Amino acid sequence: MTEAILLVGGKGTRLRPLTVHTPKPMVPAAGVPFLTHQLARARAAGVEHIVLATSYLAEVFEPYFGDGSELGLHLEYVTEVEPLGTGGAIRNVASRLRSAPEDPVLIFNGDILTGLDIRALVATHETSGADVSLHLTRVDDPRAYGLVPTDGTGRVQAFLEKPQTPEEIVTDQINAGAYVFRRSVIDTIPEGRPVSVERETFPELLASGAHLQGMVDSTYWLDLGTPQAFVRGSADLVLGRAPSPAVPGRRGDRLVLPTAEVAADAKLTGGTVVGAGARIGAGARIAGSTVLEGAVVEPGAVVTDSLIGAGARIGARTVLSGAVVGDGARVGADNELRDGIRVWCGAELADGSVRFSSDQ
């Protein structure tokens, strides 16, 4: 049995206002907290014991998931008093691991939606004899990421910072945020101070001659660090493009949770999610969007690639495109919000007070 560490301590600053009152892994995606999908996929791959490395709003996790038994897991929670970075968080939970020194330990970043074949990553680690194995994915434009070139056998050659010029783009392979560590390697991470595995642990291991193995798996991968990416990821889960056994319903164009009310002539498409107790008015059109619990979309509103927070209200005939409306916010009738605009939690916009479009 392989055990795992889930790194769920980040503040999710780029996701605000979604993360003002909710830690990033607990923001709903396809009807359940995003973390549920990660836990369910790990369980499906044979993982039984998972330690959650928490920090920001740490008190939210255990009341929701408990001991993990409902998911067929045994969950433990370790909270950082001060943020320790990815490497520091891994070292901080080491005492809760049960693995022998040579056993593999899976580690996942808490904000990555992926179709990674987890069993294949563990198998690659074991057959290669690596100290650490990394899931790598290929991206069309690697300039925003650190690059991880490998040799013909998949052995990692270097960790390169974000390339600044075309000549520096030596590979399209990037670190995809899932790893397998030999258990004994975790104990070599410095204890009690912030450590980044990406910028400190991995380069130092490589410099010391350790074996770091890369496995390229590009089936599906999305960093959910921005609201736009989070909305897209939720829609992809509903549409079946991203795999998860935790989606609470059939895959398709829409997911409407119990107690939600949708007018007969409202149109929901593109993987739209309507949360419990939400209400969608007559003639509303919602595409590729998430409407969280208890929110209201009034008649004739048009919502595209947007997220509407819990208890928020969108006025009649208002147009949202690529927008985020925080929990409890009120957007009056006949407004237009586009192109990444964010409405803070509890804010109120009067009828017809905002018209924001890409040509202004």
XYZ file of all heavy atoms in Angstrom, residues 125-180:
425
model
N 8.714 4.804 -10.736
C 9.624 5.052 -9.616
C 10.303 3.761 -9.173
O 11.528 3.729 -8.960
C 8.823 5.656 -8.466
C 9.618 5.906 -7.230
N 10.441 6.997 -7.075
C 9.716 5.190 -6.070
C 11.019 6.953 -5.887
N 10.583 5.879 -5.261
N 9.533 2.712 -9.048
C 10.078 1.455 -8.527
C 10.985 0.765 -9.534
O 12.040 0.240 -9.175
C 8.935 0.547 -8.087
C 8.188 1.111 -6.859
C 7.010 0.262 -6.432
O 6.407 -0.407 -7.316
O 6.686 0.267 -5.225
N 10.606 0.764 -10.802
C 11.421 0.069 -11.800
C 12.707 0.830 -12.120
O 13.723 0.220 -12.452
C 10.632 -0.162 -13.099
O 10.156 1.099 -13.597
C 9.452 -1.082 -12.854
N 12.677 2.150 -11.993
C 13.874 2.944 -12.295
C 14.835 3.004 -11.122
O 15.999 3.378 -11.292
C 13.474 4.365 -12.696
O 12.910 5.062 -11.597
N 14.354 2.671 -9.915
C 15.197 2.763 -8.727
C 15.481 4.195 -8.314
O 16.501 4.468 -7.646
N 14.607 5.109 -8.658
C 14.850 6.524 -8.405
C 14.719 6.869 -6.922
O 14.033 6.184 -6.154
C 13.870 7.370 -9.210
N 15.368 7.958 -6.542
C 15.172 8.534 -5.213
C 13.888 9.363 -5.174
O 13.150 9.340 -4.185
C 16.376 9.404 -4.834
C 17.655 8.591 -4.734
O 17.727 7.717 -3.856
O 18.568 8.834 -5.543
N 13.651 10.116 -6.253
C 12.423 10.889 -6.420
C 11.985 10.774 -7.862
O 12.811 10.847 -8.777
C 12.627 12.383 -6.069
C 11.338 13.164 -6.309
C 13.096 12.555 -4.638
N 10.693 10.579 -8.075
C 10.141 10.575 -9.426
C 9.136 11.712 -9.546
O 8.389 11.993 -8.606
C 9.469 9.239 -9.742
O 10.415 8.186 -9.700
N 9.121 12.349 -10.708
C 8.278 13.518 -10.927
C 7.335 13.279 -12.098
O 7.753 12.760 -13.141
C 9.114 14.761 -11.244
C 10.070 15.295 -10.179
C 11.417 14.587 -10.249
C 10.282 16.796 -10.388
N 6.093 13.664 -11.920
C 5.174 13.743 -13.049
C 5.526 14.985 -13.846
O 5.544 16.092 -13.316
C 3.726 13.817 -12.535
C 2.721 14.119 -13.604
N 1.548 14.788 -13.344
C 2.699 13.849 -14.931
C 0.851 14.919 -14.460
N 1.529 14.362 -15.434
N 5.795 14.803 -15.121
C 6.058 15.907 -16.035
C 4.946 15.967 -17.072
O 4.389 14.937 -17.457
C 7.402 15.719 -16.747
C 8.631 15.482 -15.861
C 9.869 15.285 -16.725
C 8.837 16.629 -14.884
N 4.623 17.155 -17.501
C 3.661 17.308 -18.582
C 4.229 18.265 -19.606
O 5.113 19.083 -19.303
C 2.293 17.803 -18.062
O 1.313 17.661 -19.084
C 2.355 19.253 -17.614
N 3.741 18.138 -20.828
C 4.192 19.029 -21.900
C 3.160 20.133 -22.105
O 1.968 19.881 -22.093
C 4.397 18.249 -23.202
C 5.540 17.249 -23.137
C 5.858 16.687 -24.515
N 7.051 15.855 -24.483
C 7.047 14.529 -24.407
N 5.882 13.884 -24.361
N 8.162 13.858 -24.374
N 3.645 21.348 -22.292
C 2.758 22.491 -22.513
C 3.183 23.205 -23.795
O 4.345 23.171 -24.191
C 2.790 23.477 -21.324
C 2.202 22.832 -20.074
C 4.214 23.962 -21.046
N 2.201 23.850 -24.438
C 2.483 24.540 -25.695
C 3.403 25.728 -25.493
O 4.270 26.004 -26.327
C 1.171 25.004 -26.342
C 0.316 23.834 -26.812
O 0.887 22.763 -27.098
O -0.919 23.999 -26.881
N 3.206 26.447 -24.380
C 4.015 27.629 -24.101
C 4.629 27.490 -22.709
O 3.988 27.784 -21.703
C 3.158 28.887 -24.172
C 3.977 30.160 -23.992
O 5.208 30.054 -23.788
O 3.387 31.259 -24.061
N 5.883 27.024 -22.636
C 6.484 26.761 -21.316
C 7.102 27.973 -20.642
O 7.719 27.841 -19.585
C 7.568 25.725 -21.655
C 7.981 26.070 -23.043
C 6.754 26.611 -23.735
N 6.922 29.166 -21.195
C 7.622 30.340 -20.660
C 7.190 30.699 -19.248
O 7.944 31.337 -18.513
C 7.397 31.534 -21.577
C 8.124 31.434 -22.910
C 7.777 32.593 -23.816
N 6.348 32.604 -24.147
C 5.777 33.555 -24.869
N 6.488 34.589 -25.296
N 4.472 33.492 -25.137
N 6.005 30.289 -18.841
C 5.510 30.637 -17.504
C 5.901 29.597 -16.458
O 5.510 29.717 -15.300
C 3.997 30.792 -17.533
N 6.673 28.597 -16.850
C 6.962 27.486 -15.949
C 8.467 27.221 -15.864
O 9.245 27.620 -16.730
C 6.287 26.202 -16.454
C 4.802 26.319 -16.668
C 4.282 26.620 -17.917
C 3.920 26.123 -15.616
C 2.912 26.731 -18.116
C 2.550 26.226 -15.806
C 2.055 26.530 -17.057
O 0.705 26.628 -17.242
N 8.853 26.506 -14.809
C 10.197 25.963 -14.742
C 10.289 24.732 -15.622
O 9.366 23.918 -15.675
N 11.389 24.598 -16.339
C 11.552 23.499 -17.285
C 12.320 22.347 -16.648
O 13.210 22.549 -15.814
C 12.300 23.974 -18.532
C 11.773 25.246 -19.205
C 12.563 25.541 -20.469
C 10.289 25.119 -19.506
N 11.966 21.103 -17.059
C 12.625 19.912 -16.516
C 13.050 19.016 -17.679
O 12.326 18.100 -18.086
C 11.698 19.132 -15.557
C 12.477 17.999 -14.882
C 11.098 20.060 -14.505
N 14.253 19.257 -18.246
C 14.736 18.384 -19.318
C 15.166 17.017 -18.781
O 15.650 16.909 -17.652
C 15.931 19.149 -19.887
C 16.395 20.036 -18.766
C 15.173 20.382 -17.972
N 14.966 15.977 -19.584
C 15.354 14.620 -19.215
C 16.177 13.997 -20.343
O 16.116 14.458 -21.494
C 14.117 13.744 -18.949
O 13.251 13.802 -20.096
C 13.344 14.233 -17.734
N 16.919 12.932 -20.014
C 17.655 12.216 -21.060
C 16.749 11.161 -21.699
O 15.541 11.091 -21.419
C 18.941 11.618 -20.512
C 18.717 10.505 -19.486
O 17.574 9.996 -19.375
O 19.686 10.136 -18.802
N 17.328 10.323 -22.547
C 16.550 9.329 -23.275
C 15.898 8.288 -22.406
O 14.933 7.630 -22.832
N 16.378 8.127 -21.170
C 15.788 7.149 -20.256
C 14.782 7.788 -19.296
O 14.208 7.101 -18.453
C 16.881 6.463 -19.424
O 17.451 7.408 -18.504
C 17.975 5.888 -20.318
N 14.595 9.111 -19.411
C 13.690 9.811 -18.514
C 14.344 10.373 -17.274
O 13.673 10.984 -16.442
N 15.657 10.199 -17.151
C 16.343 10.726 -15.969
C 16.451 12.244 -16.062
O 16.827 12.797 -17.103
C 17.726 10.104 -15.826
C 18.426 10.442 -14.516
C 19.509 9.448 -14.197
N 20.165 9.767 -12.939
C 20.849 8.888 -12.213
N 20.944 7.625 -12.608
N 21.429 9.259 -11.081
N 16.118 12.930 -14.972
C 16.131 14.391 -14.957
C 17.561 14.906 -15.062
O 18.465 14.445 -14.351
C 15.458 14.920 -13.675
C 15.608 16.438 -13.572
C 13.972 14.535 -13.654
N 17.741 15.895 -15.945
C 19.059 16.474 -16.173
C 19.260 17.813 -15.475
O 20.385 18.175 -15.123
C 19.276 16.670 -17.681
C 19.213 15.386 -18.480
C 20.321 14.429 -18.087
O 21.493 14.679 -18.377
N 19.957 13.345 -17.417
N 18.174 18.562 -15.293
C 18.315 19.895 -14.711
C 16.935 20.414 -14.318
O 15.897 19.876 -14.734
C 18.962 20.852 -15.710
N 16.946 21.461 -13.500
C 15.749 22.233 -13.185
C 16.045 23.675 -13.586
O 16.922 24.314 -13.005
C 15.402 22.143 -11.691
C 14.942 20.780 -11.275
C 15.853 19.833 -10.835
C 13.597 20.427 -11.344
C 15.441 18.563 -10.464
C 13.176 19.164 -10.981
C 14.089 18.236 -10.531
N 15.340 24.161 -14.585
C 15.639 25.455 -15.167
C 14.543 26.448 -14.830
O 13.355 26.127 -14.891
C 15.777 25.326 -16.690
C 16.792 24.274 -17.177
C 16.766 24.178 -18.690
C 18.195 24.609 -16.674
N 14.936 27.662 -14.477
C 13.971 28.711 -14.170
C 13.174 29.085 -15.423
O 13.520 28.687 -16.537
C 14.694 29.937 -13.613
C 15.269 29.727 -12.217
C 14.207 29.417 -11.183
O 13.137 30.068 -11.206
O 14.421 28.509 -10.366
N 12.137 29.876 -15.232
C 11.306 30.288 -16.354
C 12.173 30.909 -17.452
O 12.928 31.845 -17.200
C 10.259 31.306 -15.890
C 9.275 30.753 -14.873
C 8.342 31.834 -14.359
C 7.408 31.292 -13.294
N 6.511 32.338 -12.730
N 12.090 30.388 -18.680
C 12.957 30.905 -19.753
C 12.587 32.329 -20.136
O 11.414 32.689 -20.223
C 12.688 29.927 -20.906
C 11.335 29.347 -20.620
C 11.212 29.306 -19.125
N 13.601 33.134 -20.381
C 13.393 34.536 -20.744
C 13.529 34.778 -22.247
O 13.009 35.754 -22.777
C 14.395 35.419 -19.992
C 14.338 35.280 -18.482
C 12.975 35.647 -17.912
O 12.425 36.704 -18.231
N 12.409 34.773 -17.084
N 14.245 33.902 -22.935
C 14.456 34.057 -24.377
C 14.144 32.729 -25.065
O 14.172 31.665 -24.428
C 15.922 34.429 -24.682
O 16.773 33.337 -24.303
C 16.332 35.679 -23.913
N 13.861 32.744 -26.379
C 13.588 31.487 -27.099
C 14.724 30.470 -26.986
O 14.473 29.255 -26.965
C 13.405 31.962 -28.547
C 12.944 33.383 -28.435
C 13.660 33.931 -27.232
N 15.960 30.961 -26.914
C 17.108 30.051 -26.829
C 17.109 29.250 -25.528
O 17.709 28.174 -25.444
C 18.415 30.827 -26.941
C 18.661 31.463 -28.311
C 17.793 32.681 -28.572
O 17.303 33.296 -27.590
O 17.589 33.016 -29.755
N 16.459 29.793 -24.500
C 16.438 29.118 -23.208
C 15.363 28.037 -23.121
O 15.339 27.278 -22.157
C 16.209 30.147 -22.092
C 17.359 31.111 -21.896
C 17.065 32.122 -20.812
O 16.147 32.946 -20.985
O 17.761 32.080 -19.766
N 14.482 27.973 -24.099
C 13.431 26.949 -24.090
C 14.014 25.661 -24.667
O 13.955 25.401 -25.870
C 12.187 27.412 -24.889
C 11.665 28.729 -24.332
C 11.102 26.343 -24.836
C 10.493 29.293 -25.105
N 14.606 24.850 -23.797
C 15.296 23.634 -24.225
C 14.375 22.416 -24.192
O 14.738 21.349 -24.676
C 16.541 23.377 -23.356
C 17.538 24.529 -23.506
C 16.156 23.193 -21.891
N 13.183 22.572 -23.609
C 12.217 21.485 -23.556
C 10.833 22.082 -23.307
O 10.718 23.213 -22.838
C 12.556 20.477 -22.428
O 11.588 19.415 -22.429
C 12.530 21.147 -21.065
N 9.810 21.315 -23.650
C 8.444 21.735 -23.316
C 7.917 20.977 -22.106
O 6.738 21.039 -21.788
C 7.508 21.542 -24.510
C 7.435 20.094 -24.986
O 8.159 19.234 -24.436
O 6.652 19.825 -25.926
N 8.804 20.280 -21.404
C 8.422 19.508 -20.218
C 8.499 20.384 -18.972
O 9.495 21.062 -18.730
C 9.347 18.303 -20.034
C 9.252 17.287 -21.143
C 10.265 16.174 -21.009
O 10.286 15.257 -21.816
N 11.137 16.231 -20.007
N 7.423 20.325 -18.161
C 7.411 21.090 -16.924
C 7.031 20.188 -15.746
O 6.447 19.115 -15.925
C 6.419 22.274 -17.007
C 4.968 21.767 -17.099
C 6.760 23.187 -18.166
C 3.927 22.843 -16.861
N 7.382 20.647 -14.563
C 6.998 19.962 -13.333
C 5.490 20.084 -13.153
O 4.941 21.178 -13.079
C 7.739 20.620 -12.160
C 7.352 20.064 -10.808
O 6.505 19.182 -10.687
N 7.985 20.587 -9.763
N 4.800 18.939 -13.062
C 3.334 18.927 -13.034
C 2.763 18.808 -11.630
O 1.547 18.710 -11.462
C 2.807 17.797 -13.908
N 3.605 18.797 -10.590
C 3.110 18.900 -9.224
C 2.698 17.603 -8.552
O 1.943 17.641 -7.575
N 3.181 16.469 -9.039
C 2.956 15.185 -8.364
C 4.279 14.431 -8.340
O 4.994 14.391 -9.350
C 1.885 14.365 -9.066
N 4.607 13.834 -7.192
C 5.906 13.208 -7.015
C 5.769 11.882 -6.275
O 4.796 11.651 -5.562
C 6.837 14.111 -6.183
C 6.723 15.575 -6.496
C 6.155 16.471 -5.581
C 7.173 16.088 -7.713
C 6.039 17.819 -5.862
C 7.061 17.439 -8.002
C 6.492 18.301 -7.084
O 6.373 19.632 -7.372
N 6.806 11.044 -6.435
C 6.994 9.901 -5.555
C 8.377 10.038 -4.934
O 9.378 10.134 -5.649
C 6.886 8.557 -6.308
C 7.038 7.403 -5.323
C 5.564 8.448 -7.067
